[in-house]
Amino acid sequence: KVAEEAGLEHTPVYIVGGFVRDLILNRPSVDFDIVVEGDAIHLASQLAHRFGGKVTSHTRFGTAKWQIKSIKSALAAALDFPSNQANQLPDSLDLISARTEFYDHPTALPTVERSSIKLDLHRRDFTINTMALRLDGRHFGELYDYWNGLIDLQKKEVKVLHSLSFVDDPTRLIRAARFEQRFQFKIETRTLQLMAEARPLIKQVSGDRLRHEFDLIFKEASPLPILARMEELSLLTAIHPALHWQEEAN
């Protein structure tokens, strides 16, 4: 229905990042990251007007959340889903206007500007998370892969997108270890070098953001190998000198 409405609005819309990666890897995914090459808030409002639900938005970032929990049954019927599968729909969908970001200094919150899908994908962390599938109209199913994410998936490599990525956002250091261990990939050699150079910046990250990254680690199916890899990469002591992981403590 998002793609249908986007087509009526002549607005390019894409599902990007983790969903595309997991689809190619044949892994289940609930990571619905929908990017609109245009006004995501307007598109979400049109969806709510047509189908119901509620929209909350963040004008600064051009993002909208379409809350559909209360209309799941109606949406399932509109999608020709069996009535007993309505609960398979998510409670909400996030729609994001394609944007680019600028960082005034390391760990700063970004300054945001509206942009194209290509620039939006360029602000992401690793090449395997930069692919997009277009959803609207005759373009349905087209794969956009500007930075060879498909090749890196096939090579089973976690490769950073650009040389300042970890400087812009040091939490990506933790994410690299998490993705590597989740997929049983290897962090690419140059990416490992960039991680070592950026490692001291991690202590500038706020406690709330670090706690969020650790929460994500502990939600993984196998968190212990991630902690062991962080120890190996000296990421734990970069967060705090007394922070260590030892297998014997398991």
Side-chain angles (χ1 to χ4, degrees):
K1 293 304 175 182
V2 174
E4 181 182 307
E5 189 65 29
L8 293 174
E9 296 283 324
H10 304 290
T11 300
V13 64
Y14 310 80
I15 190 161
V16 307
F19 180 88
V20 182
R21 176 201 67 218
D22 292 344
L23 180 66
I24 294 168
L25 291 174
N26 198 28
R27 294 172 62 100
S29 180
V30 292
D31 188 4
F32 295 105
D33 195 356
I34 297 172
V35 172
V36 179
E37 208 164 21
D39 190 340
I41 297 174
H42 173 74
L43 180 59
S45 298
Q46 291 297 104
L47 285 163
H49 177 74
R50 185 175 175 189
F51 299 106
K54 180 183 175 184
V55 172
T56 56
S57 61
H58 196 310
T59 306
R60 178 190 169 194
F61 292 104
T63 60
K65 185 181 288 288
W66 181 29
Q67 305 279 0
I68 60 173
K69 186 175 182 179
S70 62
I71 59 167
K72 279 187 181 183
S73 296
L75 274 180
L79 293 166
D80 293 326
F81 274 26
S83 58
N84 62 351
Q85 292 183 16
N87 283 333
Q88 293 184 13
L89 294 172
D91 290 343
S92 63
L93 282 178
D94 291 316
L95 284 76
I96 304 162
S97 297
R99 65 187 195 246
T100 190
E101 297 175 344
F102 305 94
Y103 295 83
D104 292 332
H105 57 82
T107 74
L109 290 174
T111 300
V112 175
E113 290 184 4
R114 192 80 61 84
S115 75
S116 65
I117 185 64
K118 184 174 182 179
L119 288 176
D120 184 272
L121 294 170
H122 190 257
R123 70 184 175 84
R124 294 165 192 272
D125 46 17
F126 307 105
T127 58
I128 60 173
N129 295 330
T130 62
M131 292 174 287
L133 277 176
R134 191 159 171 180
L135 302 178
D136 57 291
R138 62 185 178 86
H139 298 285
F140 181 82
E142 290 179 2
L143 178 68
Y144 291 67
D145 182 16
Y146 299 105
W147 290 280
N148 298 319
L150 183 58
I151 290 173
D152 290 331
L153 269 185
Q154 293 166 344
K155 290 164 64 177
K156 298 186 175 182
E157 281 190 344
V158 176
K159 182 179 180 181
V160 78
L161 199 53
H162 58 85
S163 60
L164 292 178
S165 182
F166 296 121
V167 175
D168 288 342
D169 184 358
T171 63
R172 290 170 176 166
L173 295 162
I174 301 172
R175 240 172 287 161
R178 181 159 59 85
F179 285 132
E180 180 193 53
Q181 296 304 307
R182 178 199 292 179
F183 299 120
Q184 293 296 291
F185 284 7
K186 282 295 180 186
I187 299 173
E188 179 249 358
T189 302
R190 176 58 178 155
T191 300
L192 282 172
Q193 295 170 349
L194 293 169
M195 290 176 70
E197 293 168 9
R199 191 167 51 221
L201 295 173
I202 203 167
K203 59 188 173 187
Q204 298 180 24
V205 178
S206 70
D208 283 343
R209 294 185 68 203
L210 288 172
R211 182 172 62 249
H212 175 67
E213 292 299 325
F214 277 97
D215 285 344
L216 292 175
I217 288 171
F218 290 119
K219 288 178 181 176
E220 293 282 339
S222 300
L224 302 188
I226 302 170
L227 295 172
R229 183 60 164 147
M230 288 178 65
E231 175 73 22
E232 186 178 305
L233 295 170
S234 301
L235 292 176
L236 295 177
T237 51
I239 294 170
H240 192 281
L243 189 58
H244 285 281
W245 169 258
Q246 295 179 329
E247 192 65 34
E248 310 86 72
N250 181 12

